């Protein structure tokens, strides 16, 4: 039977291996460049529709947002060969929350502004697009860091 | 939320290639077979063999949805049991190295 000290040396090598594997995976996760742009456009169209239209159109727009986001996720999964888990570490969790709040805030804000402020609605839509893209890249970066540091179940 | 599993050395997971596979799978919801092959830098046959061992232990599940044009991609994910075993194994590795002097 293997001694505990022999096992310890082996264990250190295994822990180094775990760190390397996490580092490698952290480089693999993250969305393709087009993912955040696509998501930004979907959020922006919902902001515009909520600002200038009402009733059925907002529902249609919401459907486009949900369907489009699903298609983007499936395409990203296919392109990267990896399906990231839902936010997993402290940084990724925080950024995902901020990202959702910004999108919901912009959609809600556009509804408050209404048709009388088309210019402001358009600015809000552009702002939400940019914020979605920038926060998306920040989220990817946070996710990579969380995985590399092992902020996960493993 | 389940409690952290206690330290437990797992012979199945400890083999280097299987350990790398489990660590990669723990960081993702699902990973494609070719990504694991790239991670290990070995042939398809070697990856398949390691996955079969993990599957028989109930640590991973494999799904093969048919892609467009008939291409089959194999997706691999860690089961709850596999995740627990990995956590226990990593805890045991940490316990074993706790008293060792720091590496250079």
């Amino acid at each position: 039977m293997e001694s505990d000290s022999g096992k310890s040396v082996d264990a250190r090598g295994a822990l180094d291996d775990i760190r390397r594997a996490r580092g490698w995976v952290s480089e693999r996760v993250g969305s393709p460049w087009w993912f955040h742009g696509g998501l930004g456009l979907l959020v922006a169209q919902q902001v515009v529709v909520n600002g200038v239209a009402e009733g059925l159109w907002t529902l249609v727009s919401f459907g486009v947002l949900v369907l489009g986001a699903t298609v983007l996720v499936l395409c990203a999964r296919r392109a990267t060969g990896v399906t990231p888990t839902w936010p997993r570490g402290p940084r990724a969790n925080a950024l995902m929350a901020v990202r959702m709040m910004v999108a919901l805030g912009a959609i809600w804000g556009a509804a408050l502004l209404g048709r009388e402020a088309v210019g402001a609605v358009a600015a809000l839509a552009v702002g939400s697009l940019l914020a979605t893209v920038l926060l998306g890249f920040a989220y990817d970066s946070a996710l990579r860091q969380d995985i590399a540091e092992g902020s996960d179940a493993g | 939320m389940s409690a952290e599993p206690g330290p437990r050395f797992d012979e199945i997971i400890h083999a280097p290639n299987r350990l790398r596979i489990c660590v990669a799978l723990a960081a993702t919801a699902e990973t494609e077979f070719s990504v694991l092959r790239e991670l290990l830098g070995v042939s398809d046959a070697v990856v398949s063999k390691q996955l079969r061992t993990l599957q028989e232990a109930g640590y991973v599940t494999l799904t093969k949805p048919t892609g467009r044009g008939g291409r089959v991609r194999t997706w691999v994910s860690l089961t709850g049991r596999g995740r627990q075993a990995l956590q226990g194994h990593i805890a045991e590795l940490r316990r074993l190295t706790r008293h060792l002097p720091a590496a250079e």
Side-chain angles (χ1 to χ4, degrees):
Chain A
M1 197 174 153
E2 208 175 351
S3 71
D4 226 35
S5 63
K7 238 180 181 179
S8 300
V9 175
D10 187 27
R12 176 177 279 169
L15 285 172
D16 288 342
D17 220 18
I18 288 170
R19 266 189 291 277
R20 277 193 293 273
R22 278 185 178 144
W24 190 90
V25 174
S26 72
E27 294 300 317
R28 280 298 299 232
V29 298
S31 318
W33 64 269
W34 41 261
F35 181 85
H36 300 304
L39 200 59
L41 286 173
L42 288 169
V43 172
Q45 65 84 28
Q46 174 86 74
V47 170
V48 170
V49 172
N50 261 41
V52 301
E54 52 192 34
L56 185 64
W57 285 112
T58 57
L59 281 178
V60 171
S61 170
F62 182 69
V64 169
L65 175 64
V66 172
L67 192 68
T70 306
V71 170
L72 280 175
V73 168
L74 291 175
C75 290
R77 175 182 184 256
R78 211 179 155 77
T80 60
V82 168
T83 310
T85 46
W86 192 245
R88 49 179 311 106
R91 297 180 196 87
N93 280 341
L95 273 159
M96 179 58 88
V98 170
R99 203 173 164 189
M100 287 178 118
M101 281 193 289
V102 166
L104 288 173
I107 291 166
W108 182 66
L112 284 182
L113 288 168
R115 281 181 208 171
E116 293 76 33
V118 175
V121 169
L124 200 55
V126 172
S128 67
L129 190 157
L130 291 175
T132 304
V133 171
L134 293 175
L135 287 169
F137 284 115
Y139 171 79
D140 279 350
S141 167
L143 185 64
R144 287 192 187 102
Q145 222 176 325
D146 283 341
I147 289 175
E149 288 174 9
S151 310
D152 58 76
Chain B
M1 205 172 173
S2 61
E4 282 275 307
R8 185 178 169 277
F9 196 87
D10 191 304
E11 292 288 352
I12 295 168
I13 288 180
H14 191 62
N17 281 340
R18 291 199 287 272
L19 181 61
R20 281 180 213 134
I21 289 174
C22 288
V23 168
L25 294 177
T28 60
E30 268 187 318
T31 304
E32 220 235 311
F33 182 93
S34 63
V35 174
L36 295 176
R37 185 188 55 210
E38 209 182 305
L39 165 69
L40 302 183
V42 294
S43 67
D44 283 7
V46 173
V47 181
S48 294
K49 192 180 166 199
Q50 304 303 332
L51 288 177
R52 203 174 312 125
T53 304
L54 290 168
Q55 195 179 20
E56 281 166 8
Y59 290 172
V60 302
T61 51
L62 276 67
T63 49
K64 292 188 181 188
T66 309
R68 219 181 296 159
R71 188 188 161 198
V72 177
R73 285 168 173 243
T74 302
W75 290 87
V76 190
S77 56
L78 203 60
T79 61
R81 190 176 166 192
R83 195 171 290 274
Q84 291 255 315
L86 177 65
Q87 285 175 333
H89 186 67
I90 291 174
E92 175 63 3
L93 294 177
R94 288 195 180 122
R95 188 192 68 77
L96 284 167
T97 54
R98 199 173 299 146
H99 305 296
L100 289 182
E104 284 170 33

Short mmCIF file of all heavy atoms in Angstrom, two decimals, chain A residues 72-100:
data_model
loop_
_atom_site.label_atom_id
_atom_site.label_comp_id
_atom_site.label_asym_id
_atom_site.label_seq_id
_atom_site.Cartn_x
_atom_site.Cartn_y
_atom_site.Cartn_z
N LEU A 72 -28.90 32.53 -30.07
CA LEU A 72 -27.51 32.96 -29.84
C LEU A 72 -26.77 32.00 -28.92
O LEU A 72 -25.62 31.63 -29.17
CB LEU A 72 -27.48 34.37 -29.22
CG LEU A 72 -27.67 35.55 -30.16
CD1 LEU A 72 -27.75 36.84 -29.36
CD2 LEU A 72 -26.53 35.64 -31.17
N VAL A 73 -27.46 31.59 -27.85
CA VAL A 73 -26.83 30.65 -26.89
C VAL A 73 -26.50 29.33 -27.58
O VAL A 73 -25.41 28.78 -27.42
CB VAL A 73 -27.75 30.44 -25.66
CG1 VAL A 73 -27.26 29.26 -24.81
CG2 VAL A 73 -27.80 31.70 -24.81
N LEU A 74 -27.45 28.84 -28.38
CA LEU A 74 -27.23 27.56 -29.08
C LEU A 74 -26.09 27.66 -30.09
O LEU A 74 -25.27 26.75 -30.20
CB LEU A 74 -28.52 27.10 -29.77
CG LEU A 74 -29.64 26.65 -28.83
CD1 LEU A 74 -30.91 26.33 -29.61
CD2 LEU A 74 -29.22 25.44 -28.00
N CYS A 75 -26.03 28.79 -30.81
CA CYS A 75 -24.96 28.98 -31.79
C CYS A 75 -23.60 29.11 -31.09
O CYS A 75 -22.59 28.56 -31.56
CB CYS A 75 -25.21 30.22 -32.64
SG CYS A 75 -26.58 30.01 -33.77
N ALA A 76 -23.57 29.82 -29.96
CA ALA A 76 -22.32 29.99 -29.21
C ALA A 76 -21.85 28.64 -28.68
O ALA A 76 -20.66 28.32 -28.72
CB ALA A 76 -22.52 30.97 -28.06
N ARG A 77 -22.79 27.85 -28.22
CA ARG A 77 -22.47 26.51 -27.70
C ARG A 77 -21.84 25.67 -28.81
O ARG A 77 -20.85 24.97 -28.61
CB ARG A 77 -23.77 25.89 -27.19
CG ARG A 77 -23.67 24.46 -26.71
CD ARG A 77 -25.07 24.01 -26.28
NE ARG A 77 -25.08 22.69 -25.71
CZ ARG A 77 -25.51 21.61 -26.35
NH1 ARG A 77 -25.95 21.71 -27.60
NH2 ARG A 77 -25.50 20.44 -25.77
N ARG A 78 -22.43 25.74 -29.97
CA ARG A 78 -21.94 24.99 -31.12
C ARG A 78 -20.54 25.47 -31.55
O ARG A 78 -19.68 24.68 -31.89
CB ARG A 78 -22.93 25.20 -32.28
CG ARG A 78 -23.04 24.06 -33.21
CD ARG A 78 -24.04 24.36 -34.29
NE ARG A 78 -23.74 23.58 -35.47
CZ ARG A 78 -24.02 22.29 -35.59
NH1 ARG A 78 -24.62 21.66 -34.61
NH2 ARG A 78 -23.70 21.64 -36.68
N ALA A 79 -20.36 26.77 -31.49
CA ALA A 79 -19.08 27.34 -31.94
C ALA A 79 -17.93 27.05 -30.97
O ALA A 79 -16.80 26.84 -31.39
CB ALA A 79 -19.22 28.85 -32.13
N THR A 80 -18.22 27.04 -29.67
CA THR A 80 -17.14 26.89 -28.68
C THR A 80 -16.97 25.46 -28.18
O THR A 80 -15.91 25.11 -27.67
CB THR A 80 -17.39 27.80 -27.46
OG1 THR A 80 -18.64 27.42 -26.86
CG2 THR A 80 -17.43 29.26 -27.84
N GLY A 81 -18.02 24.64 -28.30
CA GLY A 81 -17.94 23.27 -27.78
C GLY A 81 -18.06 23.22 -26.27
O GLY A 81 -17.76 22.21 -25.64
N VAL A 82 -18.49 24.33 -25.69
CA VAL A 82 -18.61 24.40 -24.23
C VAL A 82 -19.91 25.11 -23.87
O VAL A 82 -20.27 26.10 -24.48
CB VAL A 82 -17.41 25.20 -23.64
CG1 VAL A 82 -17.65 25.54 -22.19
CG2 VAL A 82 -16.11 24.41 -23.78
N THR A 83 -20.61 24.55 -22.90
CA THR A 83 -21.77 25.26 -22.36
C THR A 83 -21.40 25.70 -20.96
O THR A 83 -21.27 24.86 -20.07
CB THR A 83 -23.01 24.34 -22.27
OG1 THR A 83 -23.18 23.69 -23.53
CG2 THR A 83 -24.25 25.10 -21.92
N PRO A 84 -21.20 27.01 -20.77
CA PRO A 84 -20.84 27.45 -19.42
C PRO A 84 -22.00 27.23 -18.46
O PRO A 84 -23.16 27.24 -18.87
CB PRO A 84 -20.57 28.95 -19.57
CG PRO A 84 -20.55 29.21 -21.03
CD PRO A 84 -21.33 28.13 -21.69
N THR A 85 -21.68 27.02 -17.20
CA THR A 85 -22.75 26.90 -16.21
C THR A 85 -23.30 28.29 -15.97
O THR A 85 -22.66 29.29 -16.29
CB THR A 85 -22.21 26.35 -14.88
OG1 THR A 85 -21.01 27.04 -14.57
CG2 THR A 85 -21.93 24.87 -14.97
N TRP A 86 -24.47 28.37 -15.42
CA TRP A 86 -25.05 29.66 -15.05
C TRP A 86 -24.08 30.30 -14.08
O TRP A 86 -23.33 29.58 -13.41
CB TRP A 86 -26.42 29.42 -14.43
CG TRP A 86 -27.20 30.70 -14.28
CD1 TRP A 86 -27.59 31.26 -13.10
CD2 TRP A 86 -27.70 31.54 -15.31
NE1 TRP A 86 -28.28 32.41 -13.35
CE2 TRP A 86 -28.37 32.62 -14.69
CE3 TRP A 86 -27.63 31.51 -16.70
CZ2 TRP A 86 -28.99 33.65 -15.41
CZ3 TRP A 86 -28.23 32.56 -17.41
CH2 TRP A 86 -28.90 33.59 -16.77
N PRO A 87 -24.04 31.64 -14.00
CA PRO A 87 -23.02 32.32 -13.20
C PRO A 87 -22.54 31.50 -12.01
O PRO A 87 -23.31 30.95 -11.26
CB PRO A 87 -23.75 33.57 -12.73
CG PRO A 87 -24.66 33.87 -13.86
CD PRO A 87 -25.02 32.55 -14.48
N ARG A 88 -21.25 31.47 -11.86
CA ARG A 88 -20.67 30.49 -10.98
C ARG A 88 -19.81 31.03 -9.86
O ARG A 88 -19.69 30.43 -8.81
CB ARG A 88 -19.85 29.54 -11.82
CG ARG A 88 -18.93 30.30 -12.76
CD ARG A 88 -18.07 29.39 -13.59
NE ARG A 88 -17.42 28.41 -12.78
CZ ARG A 88 -17.79 27.14 -12.74
NH1 ARG A 88 -18.78 26.72 -13.47
NH2 ARG A 88 -17.17 26.31 -11.98
N GLY A 89 -19.19 32.16 -10.07
CA GLY A 89 -18.31 32.70 -9.04
C GLY A 89 -18.79 34.08 -8.63
O GLY A 89 -19.71 34.61 -9.23
N PRO A 90 -18.16 34.67 -7.62
CA PRO A 90 -18.62 35.97 -7.12
C PRO A 90 -18.61 37.09 -8.16
O PRO A 90 -19.55 37.85 -8.26
CB PRO A 90 -17.66 36.27 -5.96
CG PRO A 90 -16.51 35.35 -6.14
CD PRO A 90 -17.02 34.14 -6.87
N ARG A 91 -17.53 37.14 -8.96
CA ARG A 91 -17.43 38.23 -9.95
C ARG A 91 -18.46 38.03 -11.07
O ARG A 91 -19.16 38.96 -11.46
CB ARG A 91 -16.04 38.26 -10.57
CG ARG A 91 -14.94 38.55 -9.61
CD ARG A 91 -13.61 38.55 -10.34
NE ARG A 91 -12.51 38.46 -9.40
CZ ARG A 91 -12.01 37.32 -8.94
NH1 ARG A 91 -12.49 36.16 -9.34
NH2 ARG A 91 -11.01 37.30 -8.09
N ALA A 92 -18.52 36.79 -11.59
CA ALA A 92 -19.45 36.51 -12.68
C ALA A 92 -20.89 36.71 -12.21
O ALA A 92 -21.72 37.26 -12.94
CB ALA A 92 -19.24 35.10 -13.20
N ASN A 93 -21.20 36.29 -11.00
CA ASN A 93 -22.56 36.47 -10.46
C ASN A 93 -22.93 37.95 -10.41
O ASN A 93 -24.01 38.34 -10.83
CB ASN A 93 -22.64 35.90 -9.03
CG ASN A 93 -22.80 34.39 -9.04
OD1 ASN A 93 -23.19 33.81 -10.04
ND2 ASN A 93 -22.49 33.78 -7.93
N ALA A 94 -21.99 38.75 -9.89
CA ALA A 94 -22.26 40.18 -9.74
C ALA A 94 -22.47 40.83 -11.11
O ALA A 94 -23.41 41.62 -11.31
CB ALA A 94 -21.10 40.85 -9.01
N LEU A 95 -21.61 40.48 -12.07
CA LEU A 95 -21.72 41.10 -13.40
C LEU A 95 -22.98 40.66 -14.14
O LEU A 95 -23.58 41.45 -14.87
CB LEU A 95 -20.47 40.80 -14.22
CG LEU A 95 -19.38 41.84 -13.97
CD1 LEU A 95 -18.02 41.32 -14.36
CD2 LEU A 95 -19.67 43.13 -14.71
N MET A 96 -23.38 39.41 -13.93
CA MET A 96 -24.62 38.95 -14.56
C MET A 96 -25.81 39.74 -14.00
O MET A 96 -26.71 40.15 -14.75
CB MET A 96 -24.80 37.44 -14.32
CG MET A 96 -26.08 36.88 -14.90
SD MET A 96 -26.24 37.14 -16.69
CE MET A 96 -25.41 35.71 -17.34
N ALA A 97 -25.79 39.98 -12.69
CA ALA A 97 -26.88 40.74 -12.05
C ALA A 97 -26.91 42.17 -12.59
O ALA A 97 -27.98 42.69 -12.95
CB ALA A 97 -26.69 40.73 -10.53
N VAL A 98 -25.74 42.79 -12.70
CA VAL A 98 -25.66 44.17 -13.21
C VAL A 98 -26.18 44.22 -14.65
O VAL A 98 -26.97 45.09 -15.02
CB VAL A 98 -24.20 44.70 -13.15
CG1 VAL A 98 -24.07 46.02 -13.90
CG2 VAL A 98 -23.75 44.86 -11.72
N ARG A 99 -25.75 43.25 -15.43
CA ARG A 99 -26.15 43.18 -16.84
C ARG A 99 -27.67 43.09 -16.98
O ARG A 99 -28.27 43.78 -17.81
CB ARG A 99 -25.50 41.92 -17.40
CG ARG A 99 -25.27 41.83 -18.84
CD ARG A 99 -24.48 40.55 -19.04
NE ARG A 99 -24.50 40.13 -20.41
CZ ARG A 99 -24.02 38.96 -20.80
NH1 ARG A 99 -23.52 38.11 -19.92
NH2 ARG A 99 -24.06 38.62 -22.05
N MET A 100 -28.27 42.25 -16.16
CA MET A 100 -29.73 42.10 -16.25
C MET A 100 -30.45 43.35 -15.76
O MET A 100 -31.45 43.77 -16.35
CB MET A 100 -30.17 40.89 -15.42
CG MET A 100 -29.79 39.58 -16.10
SD MET A 100 -30.26 38.18 -15.13
CE MET A 100 -31.41 37.40 -16.23
#
